[in-house]
Amino acid sequence: MDALHPRLLVDRFAAGFEFYDAVLPALFGARLRKGTAAGPYANWDVDDQAILVLFDRAALAATIGTTDLPASTPAAQDRAMFVCQVADVDEGLALCLKHGGILVTEATDRPEWGPGLRTAHLRDPEGHLIELQSY
């Protein structure tokens, strides 16, 4: 049973699929369990537990009856972040950028956040904020 996992809603499903399908196996040993770049749903597992699901935003809006609402909001601060613990932040960041990630902050040591903590921040092709971290 998948108790908890992030489900990212995306407008450009193929771009999101290609990004995560390229980086999740290398970063975590994740395998695609279900879905294709055609959408509207895909999920990746590690040890038979979901670690990430992509779902087409329009498909969900149709399901829950919100197609009459705007698909985007004015620019604002982020309200959620996908945090990923990786073996090497610098290598993980380089991999993500190679596959279409957008740099937000370079890899940086953050001792004020925790002993030995190193982080980098980026956005996936859809704009979701991602933090790569290692201790």
Side-chain angles (χ1 to χ4, degrees):
M1 179 176 84
D2 299 325
L4 298 172
H5 58 272
R7 181 173 293 186
L8 300 179
L9 304 178
V10 295
D11 293 315
R12 297 179 308 127
F13 193 91
F17 179 92
E18 290 170 6
F19 174 77
Y20 286 107
D21 200 45
V23 303
L24 292 175
L27 292 175
F28 308 109
R31 66 175 181 79
L32 179 65
R33 181 171 179 210
K34 182 178 179 182
T36 68
Y41 178 94
N43 77 278
W44 291 264
D45 285 6
V46 171
D47 297 329
D48 294 322
Q49 293 293 310
I51 64 163
L52 181 68
V53 172
L54 291 185
F55 196 66
D56 182 80
R57 183 187 312 273
L60 181 65
T63 299
I64 64 173
T66 59
T67 56
D68 59 326
L69 297 176
S72 62
T73 59
Q77 293 181 11
D78 294 284
R79 298 187 63 84
M81 178 170 61
F82 183 38
V83 178
C84 306
Q85 188 169 358
V86 297
D88 186 303
V89 170
D90 298 83
E91 287 179 12
L93 179 60
L95 175 70
C96 290
L97 296 178
K98 175 182 173 185
H99 291 286
I102 302 157
L103 182 66
V104 175
T105 64
E106 295 282 351
T108 305
D109 293 328
R110 302 210 183 266
E112 68 279 12
W113 291 6
L117 181 62
R118 184 166 180 80
T119 68
H121 296 89
L122 65 136
R123 294 191 184 281
D124 71 9
E126 190 75 17
H128 297 107
L129 183 61
I130 300 169
E131 177 178 283
L132 301 178
Q133 61 173 235
S134 66
Y135 287 91

